Amino acid sequence: MSAITPSRRVRPTPFTPGVEAAGVSRYTVYNHMLLASVYESVEADCAHLKKHVQVWDVSCERQVSIKGPDALRLMKLMSPRDIDRMAADQCYYVPIVDQHGGMLNDPVALRLDDDHFWLSLADSDTLQWALGLAVALGLDVTIDEPDVFPLAVQGPKAEELMARFFGDIVRDIRFFRHKRVVFEGHDFVVSRSGWSKQGGFEIFVDDSALAMPLWDALLAKGQDLQVRAGCPNSIERIESGLLSYGLDMRRENTPYECGLGKFCNSPEPFIGHEALAREAAVGPRRRVRPLSIDGEIGPCTGVWPLYAGDARVGQVASAVWSPDFATNVAIGMIDRGYDDTGTALRIETEHGVRTATVQETFWN
Amino acid sequence: MSAITPSRRVRPTPFTPGVEAAGVSRYTVYNHMLLASVYESVEADCAHLKKHVQVWDVSCERQVSIKGPDALRLMKLMSPRDIDRMAADQCYYVPIVDQHGGMLNDPVALRLDDDHFWLSLADSDTLQWALGLAVALGLDVTIDEPDVFPLAVQGPKAEELMARFFGDIVRDIRFFRHKRVVFEGHDFVVSRSGWSKQGGFEIFVDDSALAMPLWDALLAKGQDLQVRAGCPNSIERIESGLLSYGLDMRRENTPYECGLGKFCNSPEPFIGHEALAREAAVGPRRRVRPLSIDGEIGPCTGVWPLYAGDARVGQVASAVWSPDFATNVAIGMIDRGYDDTGTALRIETEHGVRTATVQETFWN
């Protein structure tokens, strides 16, 4: 596949000079922005992530800022989760759905103040959804995309590196909570979160002039921890069952299909609540399930259909070889009746027909 | 810049096998889809486009389908243009704006029926804007993204190639009008439109199984016309003053700033009409203007600021060397007072400071 040309439309980030200097070998595009997808190799990157600590440029997690007297009202309309329970230092993973319960995005919401939220977006312009609702309903909120460039620090040694840098205050940040910490006199929101199951933090860099100094300093402070530049890793995230919006789920899927039913607990009406309540009563007609695929598979560059006999019963859009588990790990969306653990299905890859077997749980 | 990995999230199109076989050398990503940006070289591609005919995979022009009893009402809310005047075979270039008149997208709208429109999108998920409005207002419309993959035929010999293929019926399609034509028993919407000023058509391919047969047949039928695969060309489109959403304009810009005031003629209230009426009365505070830049410039991978003395008075995000006009051609957004023809401004490129001079008109 050919090279990509950066532009204002597919834009570099304040960390791109560091990413380039660290030897990125592949990019993807996410929310109109460059996102590294491979440095050394997907396998070497994964092994390092599981043992040490990595610094990730995830500027592409664009923030939708919702601020004003009606911010809470809009959040409650958009969220199947009970936002009233959300503390002022909390992060909530929130499926955002349409009137039929179809997924439009799955951001992490940060509550910054009583009347101020950020949605840290997956790959779709959900600012336009929030804005459409707010304008049509005449809500008193300001919705925009501030210049915030998240930097993730991920891996088992992430806490050690962060504590050296920001002090022990970061050790007190609980999972999916955030605090403000100081670097070079500037106040940053730091949360214990990130798109791996190896533990770590996200630093919400809202001053692009401090981006490269922060990047360089983190890498310098962690040399004995073997810190290096990294990025969301497809092996680690599939082993962990972390879904990717646009790949594993889309608007045609509901939170229940995605295994996100536990996040649909709002006691008040939200957009899509009737559809989701109906679905909850009878169960989803298909579900995300872990699959192990036999034999050699190449890169999954599209959708691989799953068959039981002649019937198409699902699909896979994320699959990769896992050296640690010595199998191809995959995320499937599988019709009810074919989704039980142990079920063997036929899968059509670009490299031939293989057998995919439903697993009990994800691997990490 | 490194290579890009295709996936379901940054997806190939039904024409990608043809694009690859034709020797694409660079891609960009547009509406979550691959879009070729260079074949032989930007200059060679441009010279060929101006002389012959090219077939472009522009599947990334995703269609937002708006259908139902309230489709016209929603279109009128979203459109500064007078949609009532739009004939059933017409295409309208429509700036889509928020409540402050800020650009959210600039699609070409196709009217397919009294109650059915397509918006052929620029690079943002404006489906979510339309959906937010419709859901909040309880409108009776269905909004989705159908499997339609536009194929453009562009260049001075486009009509000849299209007529050989579909018959003389295509010669009767007027500019920004569409008709249904038949290929292999299938009915396609074909419009006289496209993202160049060299003339041409767009075929809205709504059966992906016919995509590669159509691609191959067009290339085969036009061998003596020197047809080849092509793509939107940055030299040709800057010379022509064709704006790119995300590059030359964004939500912080209004249609008046973009020179699109003539498309703000709806006699009925639409979203943003008050803001735009206020702006129309006093004139925009900055404007899109053609600029010529002296000296050598490299690729424009971000935003180049424009200065008059110490004051920042605008910016450029599209600039390239034009062999035909023997100058660097650029699209600027320039503050009022500095936008007159002949004004010389300082521009900071990645390759040094240059002089940019405001031109009377674009070049094509």
Side-chain angles (χ1 to χ4, degrees):
Chain A
M1 206 32 74
S2 303
I4 185 157
T5 311
S7 69
R8 190 190 186 204
R9 194 178 54 70
V10 178
R11 63 181 161 147
T13 85
F15 303 107
T16 300
V19 169
E20 290 278 314
V24 61
S25 62
R26 278 191 183 261
Y27 280 110
T28 184
V29 174
Y30 197 98
N31 283 328
H32 313 280
M33 215 168 209
L34 294 177
L35 169 64
S37 59
V38 185
Y39 281 86
E40 190 182 339
S41 72
V42 181
E43 295 189 5
D45 292 355
C46 180
H48 179 274
L49 170 63
K50 289 177 174 178
K51 242 196 254 175
H52 304 296
V53 54
Q54 295 183 351
V55 177
W56 296 0
D57 171 14
V58 285
S59 299
C60 66
E61 296 172 6
R62 305 309 300 156
Q63 306 304 304
V64 175
S65 169
I66 301 178
K67 191 168 165 44
D70 287 330
L72 180 62
R73 186 171 157 213
L74 179 57
M75 281 297 295
K76 286 163 87 165
L77 264 179
M78 288 201 299
S79 167
R81 278 191 84 168
D82 184 358
I83 298 291
D84 277 329
R85 290 200 208 171
M86 190 176 184
D89 67 340
Q90 208 160 2
C91 312
Y92 259 22
Y93 178 64
V94 178
I96 303 282
V97 302
D98 69 15
Q99 77 274 32
H100 305 302
M103 301 278 295
L104 297 174
N105 203 291
D106 64 329
V108 172
L110 279 80
R111 187 162 198 168
L112 299 175
D113 211 334
D114 283 349
D115 66 348
H116 191 193
F117 296 84
W118 278 348
L119 299 179
S120 191
L121 286 190
D123 185 28
S124 77
D125 299 326
T126 292
L127 184 150
Q128 296 207 6
W129 167 249
L131 194 66
L133 297 174
V135 168
L137 297 172
L139 300 186
D140 187 2
V141 284
T142 300
I143 297 174
D144 54 25
E145 182 187 312
D147 271 343
V148 175
F149 306 96
L151 185 67
V153 179
Q154 299 285 305
K157 300 177 188 167
E159 184 175 297
E160 176 58 25
L161 177 59
M162 289 290 286
R164 283 185 193 180
F165 204 77
F166 292 110
D168 278 339
I169 183 175
V170 298
R171 297 192 195 273
D172 299 332
I173 304 175
R174 286 187 288 148
F175 185 64
F176 264 51
R177 298 274 173 161
H178 61 82
K179 277 189 195 300
R180 287 191 177 266
V181 302
V182 177
F183 169 70
E184 296 205 350
H186 188 92
D187 220 22
F188 291 102
V189 173
V190 171
S191 61
R192 194 182 285 261
S193 57
W195 215 53
S196 82
K197 286 222 170 151
Q198 305 309 312
F201 299 84
E202 288 173 294
I203 308 167
F204 292 80
V205 179
D206 56 355
D207 180 347
S208 62
L210 289 175
M212 280 308 300
L214 182 62
W215 172 279
D216 288 335
L218 278 166
L219 289 176
K221 278 240 174 160
Q223 286 208 305
D224 60 308
L225 302 176
Q226 300 198 47
V227 66
R228 74 167 181 73
C231 53
N233 181 275
S234 60
I235 301 172
E236 198 275 343
R237 76 107 186 152
I238 297 173
E239 289 173 349
S240 302
L242 292 174
L243 306 185
S244 173
Y245 186 77
L247 273 176
D248 305 307
M249 59 191 171
R250 296 189 154 192
R251 192 177 161 213
E252 64 259 32
N253 302 114
T254 68
Y256 289 105
E257 292 178 4
C258 302
L260 308 175
K262 63 183 170 222
F263 300 118
C264 302
N265 64 349
S266 173
E268 291 178 51
F270 57 88
I271 292 165
H273 80 277
E274 287 166 353
L276 291 185
R278 277 195 302 275
E279 190 186 20
V282 296
R285 64 189 187 89
R286 53 194 174 188
R287 275 197 303 161
V288 163
R289 298 288 281 136
L291 287 166
S292 166
I293 305 174
D294 75 322
E296 264 191 72
I297 58 168
C300 183
T301 64
V303 166
W304 291 348
L306 290 164
Y307 293 94
D310 289 339
R312 183 166 171 163
V313 297
Q315 64 184 37
V316 163
S318 295
V320 70
W321 172 253
S322 161
D324 286 348
F325 297 98
T327 184
N328 298 301
V329 294
I331 299 176
M333 180 67 78
I334 311 176
D335 290 352
R336 196 197 291 204
Y338 302 93
D339 59 344
D340 288 335
T341 302
T343 307
L345 300 169
R346 215 169 72 246
I347 185 164
E348 274 180 15
T349 77
E350 286 130 303
H351 308 269
V353 173
R354 302 284 182 269
T355 300
T357 308
V358 181
Q359 304 298 298
E360 172 86 34
T361 57
F362 283 96
W363 292 264
N364 271 337
Chain B
M1 206 32 76
S2 303
I4 186 159
T5 312
S7 69
R8 189 190 185 203
R9 193 178 56 70
V10 178
R11 63 181 161 148
T13 86
F15 303 107
T16 300
V19 170
E20 290 277 314
V24 60
S25 64
R26 278 190 183 261
Y27 279 111
T28 185
V29 174
Y30 197 98
N31 283 328
H32 313 279
M33 214 167 209
L34 294 176
L35 169 63
S37 58
V38 185
Y39 281 86
E40 190 182 339
S41 72
V42 181
E43 296 189 5
D45 292 355
C46 180
H48 179 275
L49 170 63
K50 289 176 174 179
K51 242 196 256 179
H52 304 295
V53 53
Q54 296 182 351
V55 178
W56 297 0
D57 170 14
V58 284
S59 299
C60 65
E61 295 172 6
R62 306 308 301 156
Q63 306 305 304
V64 176
S65 169
I66 300 178
K67 191 169 165 43
D70 287 330
L72 180 61
R73 186 170 158 212
L74 179 58
M75 282 297 295
K76 287 164 85 166
L77 265 180
M78 288 200 299
S79 168
R81 278 192 85 166
D82 185 357
I83 297 291
D84 276 329
R85 291 201 208 171
M86 190 177 183
D89 68 340
Q90 208 158 5
C91 312
Y92 259 23
Y93 178 63
V94 178
I96 304 281
V97 301
D98 68 16
Q99 76 276 32
H100 305 302
M103 301 277 295
L104 297 174
N105 205 292
D106 64 329
V108 172
L110 280 79
R111 187 163 198 167
L112 299 175
D113 212 333
D114 284 348
D115 66 348
H116 191 192
F117 296 84
W118 278 348
L119 299 178
S120 192
L121 287 191
D123 185 29
S124 77
D125 299 325
T126 292
L127 184 148
Q128 296 207 6
W129 167 249
L131 194 65
L133 296 174
V135 168
L137 298 171
L139 299 185
D140 188 3
V141 285
T142 300
I143 298 174
D144 54 25
E145 182 187 311
D147 272 343
V148 175
F149 306 95
L151 186 67
V153 179
Q154 299 286 304
K157 301 178 189 167
E159 184 173 297
E160 175 59 26
L161 177 59
M162 288 291 286
R164 283 185 194 181
F165 204 77
F166 291 111
D168 278 339
I169 183 175
V170 299
R171 298 191 195 273
D172 300 331
I173 303 175
R174 286 188 289 148
F175 185 63
F176 264 51
R177 298 274 173 161
H178 61 83
K179 278 191 195 296
R180 288 190 176 268
V181 302
V182 176
F183 169 70
E184 295 206 351
H186 188 93
D187 218 22
F188 291 101
V189 174
V190 171
S191 60
R192 195 183 284 262
S193 56
W195 214 53
S196 83
K197 286 220 170 152
Q198 305 309 312
F201 299 84
E202 288 173 295
I203 309 166
F204 292 81
V205 179
D206 57 355
D207 179 346
S208 61
L210 289 174
M212 280 308 301
L214 182 62
W215 172 279
D216 288 335
L218 279 165
L219 290 176
K221 278 237 174 161
Q223 285 207 306
D224 60 308
L225 303 176
Q226 300 199 49
V227 65
R228 73 166 181 75
C231 53
N233 181 276
S234 59
I235 300 172
E236 199 275 342
R237 74 109 186 153
I238 296 173
E239 288 172 351
S240 302
L242 293 174
L243 306 186
S244 174
Y245 186 78
L247 273 176
D248 306 307
M249 59 189 170
R250 296 189 155 192
R251 192 178 161 212
E252 64 259 33
N253 303 114
T254 68
Y256 289 105
E257 292 178 3
C258 302
L260 308 176
K262 64 184 168 217
F263 301 118
C264 301
N265 63 348
S266 174
E268 291 178 51
F270 56 89
I271 292 166
H273 81 277
E274 288 166 353
L276 291 184
R278 277 195 302 274
E279 190 186 19
V282 296
R285 64 187 187 89
R286 53 192 174 191
R287 274 197 302 162
V288 162
R289 298 290 281 135
L291 287 165
S292 166
I293 305 174
D294 75 321
E296 263 190 73
I297 58 168
C300 183
T301 64
V303 166
W304 290 347
L306 290 164
Y307 294 94
D310 288 337
R312 183 167 170 162
V313 298
Q315 63 184 37
V316 163
S318 296
V320 71
W321 173 253
S322 160
D324 286 348
F325 297 97
T327 184
N328 298 302
V329 294
I331 299 176
M333 180 67 78
I334 311 177
D335 289 353
R336 195 196 291 201
Y338 303 93
D339 59 344
D340 288 335
T341 302
T343 307
L345 300 169
R346 215 170 72 247
I347 185 164
E348 273 180 16
T349 77
E350 286 130 302
H351 308 269
V353 173
R354 302 283 182 269
T355 299
T357 308
V358 180
Q359 304 298 298
E360 172 86 35
T361 58
F362 284 95
W363 293 263
N364 270 338

